[in-house]
Amino acid sequence: MGQGTNSTAKKRDGFSSSFGVLAATLGSAVGLGNIWKFPSLTGAHGGAGFLLVYLLSTLLIGLPVMIAEITLGRKAKANPITALQTLAPSALPWWLIGASGVAAAFLILSFYSEVVAWVFAYVAKALGGSILSSSPEVTQSAFSALISDPLQSLLWQWGVLAFIGGILLCGVTKGIEAITKKLMPLLFLLLLLLGAVSLSLEGARAGLAFLFSPQFDKISASVVLTAMGLAFFKLSIGMGTMMTYGSYFRDDQNIPATAFRVMSADLCVSLLAGIAIFPAVFTFGFEPSSGPSLVFITIPAVFSQIPLGHGLMVVFFVLTAIAATGAMLSLMEVPVVILHERFGLARGKATLLTLMLLIVAGSGAALSHSTLAEFTVWNMSLFDLADYLSSNVLLPAGGIFIALFVGWSWGLDRFRQAVSNQGRLSNAALANVIFFLLRYVSPLLILIVMLRGLGLI
Ligand code: PFF
């Protein structure tokens, strides 16, 4: 592997303003996870009770790991592999965390890009009005027609990848930061609009009750673990994404405060998405299903019955596409910056190579509902397998090792120095608490998530 010193000798691209840092990082956290995973999991697993467990997981695991990743990235000002190589005081191969992050990025992108492809296809279909029907049978067959057509699936996926690649070609400041600064406020506005409309409908009370009424009896051990897994996915942690974005942070940025803001704003988006979806779903007597069927089958049928529903459906799919764009940018940036800095490829070439690799890696998931529908590994389609392996193996494992690296190898002094911006912020007590969580609490809790995810306990 080359060190790519020539290409990194000139000033490294990065986020130029505090708002840019926040928009880009939040852009990574906010994604498809907010629109379908979070609201339906919360509703199905005990409303406010699940929310409480999710919050605890976020505070005890998510935030410390996120702060650790960003801090390491900013300290090293390099991609995750180089960052861990430079920062590791011992000869242990901590850089493997970065390498497994690249594998996780490819795995997640292979199925995530396909769902994002459906979202973009649905923006077009919503605009054209072809999915306007109050009958779930009709919206179901429209969805099946899309996903079982191999050519359409592939073309939409390639289109999405090219779109995201195009933004990445413009760089970190002019690409990622510039676009997320515009998209994030728009996302909030559109969500507020949809939430207000949905709350004005008859079924608002039932929808909110589904989301928020506390049913503590539904909280089993496995539900606690689901909430923790969701925290990983939601905050984009455990695979070097936040380390990569951390390397673009400014030196005067308050990392714990930024991470807390990102976590809170991400939670707001998730709650608003639930408020926009469930009152409407209950108003028209639909089942609050989860996963793709909620977004691609139930939502079109629901919006088709609301006054101005056609326009609102366009709004819904546009905002989902916006949410997905920020997340995709951060996922793709991980391999791009590694190819750029480790292999000395110019950023443009690194982006194009990533794009080509993703077209190959993603085609399995893209075709898993058509040509490869019969092809299964461990009883899972390629699509589900990529989802399963990344969420249940790679992200938690990455999280454990990041926490262990900071807690046991990097050490308290270095961590405190870096988190306090070399002593300019007086947050030593906070740094101590975060360090304690990273050293003892987070790795243990994550280990439980992982063992449960693999069905070992
Ligand atoms: N946080 C994104 C979501 O909630 O949809 C998904 C994601 C993005 C996971 C980036 C991991 C990542 F590195």
Side-chain angles (χ1 to χ4, degrees):
M1 261 185 219
Q3 290 296 317
T5 33
N6 290 343
S7 48
T8 50
K10 57 179 190 240
K11 193 177 171 312
R12 205 163 175 269
D13 208 355
F15 301 137
S16 65
S17 66
S18 248
F19 179 58
V21 170
L22 190 67
T25 316
L26 182 61
S28 169
V30 166
L32 296 177
N34 299 61
I35 314 282
W36 85 46
K37 272 195 189 217
F38 187 98
S40 47
L41 285 177
T42 305
H45 293 305
F50 182 85
L51 210 58
L52 190 73
V53 182
Y54 174 80
L55 276 178
L56 280 176
S57 329
T58 313
L59 292 175
L60 296 177
I61 300 175
L63 268 183
V65 172
M66 189 177 187
I67 291 169
E69 277 199 38
I70 295 176
T71 307
L72 293 172
R74 187 180 66 177
K75 181 71 195 160
K77 299 251 180 311
N79 64 81
I81 296 181
T82 309
L84 288 157
Q85 263 180 350
T86 343
L87 298 178
S90 65
L92 289 175
W94 290 106
W95 61 270
L96 284 173
I97 301 174
S100 101
V102 182
F106 271 97
L107 263 187
I108 295 183
L109 274 165
S110 68
F111 69 91
Y112 203 84
S113 63
E114 186 51 23
V115 186
V116 181
W118 299 338
V119 172
F120 277 69
Y122 264 58
V123 170
K125 286 180 193 290
L127 277 170
S130 67
I131 44 170
L132 264 184
S133 166
S134 57
S135 147
E137 284 77 42
V138 176
T139 55
Q140 156 91 61
S141 62
F143 182 53
S144 302
L146 171 69
I147 66 172
S148 60
D149 179 344
L151 192 63
Q152 270 210 66
S153 299
L154 285 174
L155 288 180
W156 278 106
Q157 189 188 37
W158 296 346
V160 164
L161 288 170
F163 169 64
I164 302 292
I167 300 174
L168 289 178
L169 275 181
C170 303
V172 179
T173 321
K174 295 199 180 119
I176 301 176
E177 180 179 350
I179 193 102
T180 49
K181 260 159 76 175
K182 292 198 182 79
L183 291 184
M184 281 299 116
L186 182 63
L187 174 79
F188 270 94
L189 261 178
L190 296 181
L191 258 180
L192 284 174
L193 169 76
L194 273 192
V197 172
S198 194
L199 280 180
S200 71
L201 299 171
E202 234 170 81
R205 192 177 284 262
L208 292 183
F210 174 72
L211 252 186
F212 295 119
S213 65
Q215 292 166 285
F216 288 102
D217 54 316
K218 283 200 180 168
I219 304 210
S220 61
S222 85
V223 167
V224 173
L225 296 163
T226 305
M228 286 201 275
L230 183 64
F232 263 96
F233 190 80
K234 280 305 319 111
L235 297 177
S236 315
I237 51 175
M239 49 164 289
T241 304
M242 284 298 159
M243 215 183 290
T244 306
Y245 271 24
S247 74
Y248 303 138
F249 269 45
R250 292 149 45 112
D251 284 330
D252 60 355
Q253 192 78 27
N254 184 335
I255 294 177
T258 307
F260 188 78
R261 273 183 214 128
V262 167
M263 177 232 128
S264 318
D266 178 68
L267 184 66
C268 280
V269 172
S270 301
L271 294 177
L272 273 172
I275 291 172
I277 293 171
F278 289 114
V281 167
F282 276 86
T283 300
F284 300 100
F286 285 107
E287 276 297 300
S289 56
S290 58
S293 68
L294 173 70
V295 172
F296 299 104
I297 298 170
T298 311
I299 293 283
V302 166
F303 280 113
S304 302
Q305 302 179 49
I306 299 180
L308 302 178
H310 187 180
L312 292 172
M313 184 151 61
V314 175
V315 168
F316 176 82
F317 284 108
V318 166
L319 80 83
T320 308
I322 290 176
T325 299
M328 286 275 296
L329 283 172
S330 68
L331 279 162
M332 258 173 92
E333 178 65 12
V334 177
V336 167
V337 75
I338 285 180
L339 286 174
H340 174 48
E341 293 183 350
R342 301 285 312 182
F343 294 88
L345 289 187
R347 196 178 158 92
K349 283 201 182 124
T351 311
L352 289 179
L353 183 57
T354 303
L355 207 66
M356 285 183 325
L357 292 172
L358 280 172
I359 283 177
V360 178
S363 56
L367 298 178
S368 67
H369 299 277
S370 52
T371 319
L372 298 174
E374 304 295 312
F375 185 80
T376 55
V377 181
W378 296 321
N379 267 338
M380 284 182 265
S381 68
L382 288 177
F383 183 100
D384 292 336
L385 185 70
D387 187 2
Y388 182 86
L389 281 181
S390 51
S391 303
N392 297 321
V393 182
L394 289 171
L395 294 193
I400 291 181
F401 286 109
I402 288 161
L404 290 179
F405 173 69
V406 172
W408 296 91
S409 178
W410 211 40
L412 179 60
D413 286 343
R414 291 190 185 92
F415 180 70
R416 231 173 16 198
Q417 268 297 94
V419 160
S420 70
N421 297 355
Q422 314 309 321
R424 280 188 289 274
L425 299 172
S426 41
N427 56 4
L430 180 66
N432 288 346
V433 173
I434 301 167
F435 187 81
F436 175 82
L437 290 172
L438 286 168
R439 193 170 155 98
Y440 301 108
V441 183
S442 319
L444 254 181
L445 287 181
I446 300 169
L447 190 67
I448 299 170
V449 176
M450 196 174 164
L451 293 179
R452 179 66 180 78
L454 293 172
L456 296 176
I457 54 170

